Amino acid sequence: MFRTALRNVLAHKARLLMTVLAVMLGVAFVSGTLVFTNTISNAFQNSSAKGFDQVDVAVKAKYQDDKGDTVGKTPELTQAMLDTSAKVPGAASATGVVNGFTAIADKKGKLIGGGFQSEGGNYWGGKDARYPLRSGTAPHGSGEVAIDSETAKRAGYKVGDTVRISVDGPVLTSKITGIFTTDDGNVAAGGSLALFDTATAQKLFGKAGTYDEIDVKAAAGTSQAALKTQLDSALPKGLTETTTAKKLADDQAEMIASSMSGLKSGLLVFAGIALFVGTFIIANTFTMLVAQRTKELALLRAVGASRRQVTRSVLLEAFVVGAVAAVAGLLAGIGIGAGLRALMGTIGATVPDGPLIITSGTVLSALAVGILITMLAAWLPGRRAAKIPPVAAMSSLHATATTKSLVLRNTLGALFSGAGIAVVIAATSMSGSDGQAPMGVGAVLLIIGVFILTPLLSRPLIAASAPVLRIFGISGKLARQNSVRNPRRTAATASALMIGLTLITGMTVMAGSLQQAIDKMASSAISADYIVSMANGNQLSPDVDKTLTTTSGITASSPLRNAPSRIDGKTEFLTGVNGSAIGKLTDLKVDSGTFKVAGTQVVVDDDTAKSYGWKAGSTFTTHYEDGKAQQLTVSAVYEGNALIRGIMLDNATLAPHQTDPADMQILVKTADGASSATKDKLEKALGSNPAVKVQDKKDLSDSIAQVFTLILNMVYGLLAMAVIVAVLGVINTLAMSVFERSQEIGMLRAIGLDRKGIKRMVRLESLVISLFGGVLGIGLGVFFGWAAGELIGSKMATYELVIPWARMALFLLLAGTVGVLAALWPARRAAKLNMLSAIKSE
């Protein structure tokens, strides 16, 4: 039986090629994901570990007490603490660290880095061991700065050049005195790092005379643990916390691994989808191979082979095919991992240097996935072949599906589908995250149910194409009959395409609906013409608001200022606004009361009011960050949204309780309204600062929707793998079907159907099957998009279903194109069959 199985594999190399390709693509996706994420994770971990070479113990301010209370005077690391740290027994040196956001503009005035990776800090003394100078000297004074070598290379800066930078809004012009190298992970990821002398950094980052961290280097012979103990004893209790460099490195490595695990999981999900689609190809292939060898298997049974041996022979073939595909997929995956690693560099996402990581786990996973998927998919055809009675098989009486088996299959499919629809609909009535898990379960049940019912659904849906197929004469009629001749095979082929289009359609419906919801939210909640903010989402200097208020043409403006407070023992963030202008800049729906923000009168969003049991006229006591308490009155309750929510009070009331006020955003209304000229005017008034964004409502909604668009495009790209595998499935099914029907095709040629007619018949059959899968996929995708939207709508009042009909038509056209392209080779092969040889074939 072993030799027989190997002989069959070698005898059907061409027919098994598509199966090998399908499995290989899925395995390549899995192994490529593992190689890529392991390589990136290892590179960042090694890079971050190097960053702790100049520190053995880090001292930081303790910002929370045991209860997690952050309201009150913020602890500071003072010069006295730095001096104490340098003098403790076992300390060789102590460095005061200051850091904060610093945007660097290139020579064209554009922001370098992604904004979020734009950092600044202090250069310690004349020679900072953390940042070896490649050229130039250390910065001294407020007009000098040193920048990292990667940023200098990308922007074309050199020592002596002048550079425009920004810390919290206003533009600064500094001279580059030095260029240094660094192992900083943000720089490695494509960000930038600017360093000032310590006094300048403290002034720029609002930390005069204080530090964000104190890095202590141990003397020779002193362990990190011993130095930590000495520092804990010497520094003020309850104000500082110390951490060894080893712990910092371990935490950093864990954080990197955690962040990479999300990417790895996401990519593996799509690899799983591709493999799942591939199982249909494998099952189809082995079903047809077994059907073509019915007499051979019956003869084996007649000469003494048991059912178990027949099943094992089919599984052995699957093992060989899976092993070959797994090895090929592993090699391809290693290439994919290396290619993705190189690709990140070409698109600007710099990654630290490091070796390509191929772990034993990656190798074993690739082999296990490829072999197991193939054997599982081949098990049912093998088991079915073993059940055919030898006499019936030798008489070519194939075991067709009985009425009982069809009733059982359709009943099972109906139960799964009904349960899936019921669970999904029930999940839509839940709120937000509570409905996610049930909806996922319902979606899986429904897809399984539809897959089981697909043979039943194929007949009426494909029959609907009859009027169109009649246009193509006898070729069209034969194509329709061939596509429903074996409903199970048609179903398995169409289902592969169905799954990919279900996911693509569902994501498209959600993205389109979200885009419209965001547009509505921006237009309904904000009546301001512009929103001004930092490029990285950090806080703006109050000077930006002062600059805007003195700019001609501005009729109203209000900063949105966040401030922590304690209300009823819970931390609650207040939003400081310009009370006299906020009503002109927003268009919030008021549920109760009169919208008024002045003195101790505040307005509260509906969710916050509900959580505290407030209504218009209610009073409550808040404890500000300086520890002082004040009673406030709710003048109105408004409908909050993702853009504006929370407790709004007048900045004149809030400001006396803040030591370092900063604005998150500034709303601006102008006399001329939103226009490109007005926008240019505002940007120039702010010094054409690359770190500051001036957005109108459309810019705001587009920037939010850009995230969804990016995710959608990534999903399209990843699901393209599943679609490619589905195409291979259509090609494989048609090619083997042509071989199976060689005698029939020869007879058709003999009675007058020419080669063009044969080609047209095979192409139309492929087109009908592909469109059948496309219709099912689009239908399921719209349903899942609606259901997911119901969950989103529970948290977003402006959400409503938007069906992008143009995209749906494009997807259906894509399904048809897949069918036409997939049929090219099988149709050509069918047309080239020798008429007499085909008639004589069995």
Side-chain angles (χ1 to χ4, degrees):
M1 295 301 294
F2 177 75
R3 288 195 297 271
T4 301
L6 290 180
R7 179 179 60 79
N8 283 324
V9 171
L10 295 174
H12 302 118
K13 293 188 292 290
R15 299 184 218 173
L16 291 169
L17 178 61
M18 295 300 174
T19 300
V20 170
L21 284 174
V23 178
M24 186 195 77
L25 285 173
V27 171
F29 209 152
V30 171
S31 54
T33 295
L34 295 175
V35 169
F36 172 66
T37 53
N38 288 338
T39 298
I40 299 301
S41 180
N42 180 75
F44 275 114
Q45 286 177 14
N46 290 341
S47 176
S48 66
K50 290 179 183 177
F52 298 113
D53 288 347
Q54 301 302 319
V55 55
D56 288 303
V57 178
V59 180
K60 294 185 179 180
K62 192 173 183 180
Y63 286 96
Q64 291 184 338
D65 59 19
D66 296 335
K67 297 179 181 178
D69 191 350
T70 58
V71 178
K73 183 173 174 59
T74 304
E76 296 175 337
L77 297 179
T78 62
Q79 183 64 39
M81 292 179 184
L82 175 63
D83 296 338
T84 300
S85 299
K87 295 175 183 177
V88 299
S93 63
T95 303
V97 178
V98 184
N99 50 49
F101 171 75
T102 303
I104 305 177
D106 61 18
K107 292 184 177 181
K108 296 180 181 179
K110 301 296 183 182
L111 178 65
I112 297 175
F116 291 95
Q117 293 85 29
S118 302
E119 296 293 330
N122 66 313
Y123 193 93
W124 190 253
K127 188 176 182 181
D128 194 328
R130 299 171 299 168
Y131 308 110
L133 285 170
R134 175 172 289 182
S135 60
T137 59
H140 294 286
S142 59
E144 297 185 354
V145 67
I147 64 173
D148 68 271
S149 55
E150 289 298 322
T151 297
K153 181 180 177 181
R154 287 198 297 269
Y157 283 128
K158 60 184 184 295
V159 173
D161 286 347
T162 299
V163 62
R164 297 170 71 247
I165 60 177
S166 177
V167 171
D168 58 1
V171 177
L172 305 173
T173 303
S174 301
K175 179 183 178 182
I176 299 175
T177 63
I179 295 174
F180 58 89
T181 59
T182 177
D183 293 315
D184 187 283
N186 284 325
V187 173
S192 62
L193 180 61
L195 300 178
F196 312 91
D197 67 33
T198 299
T200 301
Q202 289 174 326
K203 181 181 178 182
L204 288 175
F205 301 135
K207 300 162 185 174
T210 64
Y211 302 92
D212 292 299
E213 182 175 313
I214 297 173
D215 291 343
V216 186
K217 186 76 175 169
T222 302
S223 67
Q224 292 183 356
L227 179 59
K228 181 181 184 301
T229 302
Q230 293 290 345
L231 287 166
D232 287 338
S233 300
L235 293 171
K237 305 294 183 186
L239 296 179
T240 61
E241 53 187 358
T242 58
T243 312
T244 63
K246 183 180 184 307
K247 178 69 165 56
L248 290 172
D250 291 343
D251 290 347
Q252 185 79 6
E254 185 178 343
M255 184 180 71
I256 292 170
S258 176
S259 64
M260 293 304 297
S261 70
L263 173 63
K264 183 187 294 185
S265 299
L267 292 174
L268 288 177
V269 165
F270 289 99
I273 293 169
L275 285 168
F276 182 60
V277 171
T279 59
F280 294 113
I281 301 177
I282 301 165
N284 253 359
T285 301
F286 279 93
T287 297
M288 286 187 282
L289 284 176
V290 167
Q292 292 166 15
R293 289 163 44 207
T294 302
K295 285 188 177 182
E296 176 189 327
L297 295 175
L299 184 60
L300 288 173
R301 290 288 311 283
V303 297
S306 65
R307 287 184 176 183
R308 187 172 295 178
Q309 284 180 309
V310 171
T311 304
R312 284 177 180 172
S313 69
V314 175
L315 290 178
L316 183 58
E317 291 180 49
F319 174 83
V320 174
V321 171
V324 171
V327 171
L330 174 61
L331 295 175
I334 294 171
I336 289 172
L340 287 174
R341 168 72 174 76
L343 180 64
M344 290 189 72
T346 61
I347 63 176
T350 310
V351 178
D353 292 332
L356 197 67
I357 304 298
I358 306 168
T359 65
S360 58
T362 300
V363 175
L364 292 175
S365 297
L367 295 176
V369 166
I371 293 171
L372 287 177
I373 290 292
T374 308
M375 292 184 70
L376 284 173
W379 174 76
L380 190 59
R383 185 170 175 271
R384 192 181 298 136
K387 283 187 172 184
I388 301 175
V391 175
M394 288 166 53
S395 301
S396 295
L397 299 174
H398 299 282
T400 57
T402 63
T403 302
K404 181 180 178 182
S405 69
L406 290 174
V407 169
L408 178 63
R409 179 184 181 114
N410 294 337
T411 301
L412 192 62
L415 289 174
F416 268 97
S417 299
I421 292 172
V423 173
V424 169
I425 291 176
T428 59
S429 62
M430 301 179 185
S431 61
S433 58
D434 293 338
Q436 290 177 4
M439 185 167 290
V441 172
V444 171
L445 289 174
L446 180 54
I447 288 176
I448 292 173
V450 170
F451 169 62
I452 296 173
L453 286 175
T454 305
L456 177 66
L457 297 172
S458 65
R459 290 187 179 278
L461 289 178
I462 291 177
S465 65
V468 178
L469 291 177
R470 287 197 192 101
I471 299 173
F472 300 95
I474 190 64
S475 295
K477 182 177 181 181
L478 289 171
R480 184 180 64 80
Q481 292 175 347
N482 288 335
S483 58
V484 296
R485 178 186 295 180
N486 191 330
R488 285 184 174 177
R489 184 189 304 167
T490 297
T493 306
S495 295
L497 191 59
M498 175 192 78
I499 292 170
L501 283 178
T502 295
L503 296 170
I504 290 173
T505 303
M507 292 295 297
T508 302
V509 170
M510 287 176 57
S513 301
L514 278 170
Q515 173 68 68
Q516 179 168 294
I518 293 166
D519 289 343
K520 281 187 176 181
M521 188 187 300
S523 60
S524 63
I526 299 173
S527 56
D529 295 318
Y530 293 99
I531 302 95
V532 179
S533 62
M534 290 293 284
N536 69 331
N538 271 14
Q539 296 178 332
L540 283 160
S541 166
D543 292 340
V544 176
D545 182 48
K546 293 177 183 177
T547 301
L548 289 171
T549 55
T550 59
T551 303
S552 63
I554 293 180
T555 58
S557 69
S558 173
L560 302 182
R561 183 173 299 169
N562 278 358
S565 70
R566 298 288 287 183
I567 300 174
D568 292 349
K570 293 190 294 186
T571 299
E572 195 74 53
F573 279 87
L574 307 174
T575 302
V577 298
N578 181 348
S580 61
I582 192 65
K584 304 172 186 176
L585 299 166
T586 58
D587 189 15
L588 300 169
K589 183 179 178 182
V590 177
D591 291 339
S592 61
T594 303
F595 195 94
K596 184 177 182 182
V597 182
T600 59
Q601 290 186 305
V602 301
V603 294
V604 184
D605 72 286
D606 47 1
D607 287 341
T608 303
K610 183 178 178 181
S611 66
Y612 285 100
W614 297 338
K615 57 185 178 180
S618 297
T619 61
F620 63 92
T621 300
T622 184
H623 296 264
Y624 296 108
E625 59 184 298
D626 62 355
K628 294 182 179 179
Q630 186 174 34
Q631 189 176 69
L632 302 174
T633 302
V634 179
S635 66
V637 176
Y638 67 91
E639 286 188 9
N641 54 61
L643 297 178
I644 298 179
R645 62 172 65 243
I647 304 170
M648 286 193 280
L649 77 164
D650 198 350
N651 273 327
T653 305
L654 178 63
H657 304 285
Q658 290 186 291
T659 55
D660 186 22
D663 306 326
M664 295 305 298
Q665 293 177 325
I666 301 173
L667 303 181
V668 178
K669 196 169 187 66
T670 61
D672 299 329
S675 67
S676 57
T678 305
K679 185 176 181 179
D680 289 342
K681 180 180 178 181
L682 293 178
E683 288 178 342
K684 288 179 180 178
L686 296 173
S688 300
N689 193 331
V692 176
K693 293 190 297 185
V694 179
Q695 298 175 295
D696 59 23
K697 285 184 281 190
K698 186 176 185 309
D699 293 333
L700 180 64
S701 61
D702 287 347
S703 66
I704 299 173
Q706 187 177 10
V707 178
F708 300 112
T709 304
L710 177 62
I711 293 173
L712 186 64
N713 289 335
M714 288 176 61
V715 170
Y716 282 165
L718 293 170
L719 286 176
M721 178 71 73
V723 174
I724 291 171
V725 173
V727 172
L728 293 177
V730 177
I731 295 172
N732 204 30
T733 300
L734 288 173
M736 297 191 73
S737 179
V738 166
F739 179 85
E740 192 177 69
R741 292 167 12 219
S742 295
Q743 189 178 58
E744 176 187 320
I745 292 171
M747 290 294 294
L748 289 172
R749 290 288 314 283
I751 60 175
L753 190 62
D754 59 11
R755 289 186 174 182
K756 286 185 178 179
I758 295 293
K759 283 184 180 180
R760 189 180 301 117
M761 177 187 72
V762 176
R763 288 171 184 162
L764 289 173
E765 180 183 349
S766 175
L767 179 63
V768 167
I769 293 173
S770 297
L771 288 176
F772 170 53
V775 168
L776 287 180
I778 291 171
L780 283 174
V782 170
F783 176 71
F784 290 140
W786 164 81
E790 290 296 300
L791 282 183
I792 297 171
S794 65
K795 297 292 185 182
M796 187 181 287
T798 55
Y799 186 92
E800 63 180 42
L801 181 66
V802 175
I803 299 179
W805 296 107
R807 286 283 182 97
M808 301 298 100
L810 182 63
F811 293 156
L812 200 59
L813 179 62
L814 172 65
T817 305
V818 164
V820 173
L821 294 177
L824 290 178
W825 178 60
R828 185 170 177 270
R829 182 182 176 188
K832 291 180 69 176
L833 285 176
N834 182 279
M835 188 188 312
L836 296 178
S837 299
I839 293 173
K840 290 189 294 181
S841 66
E842 294 187 4

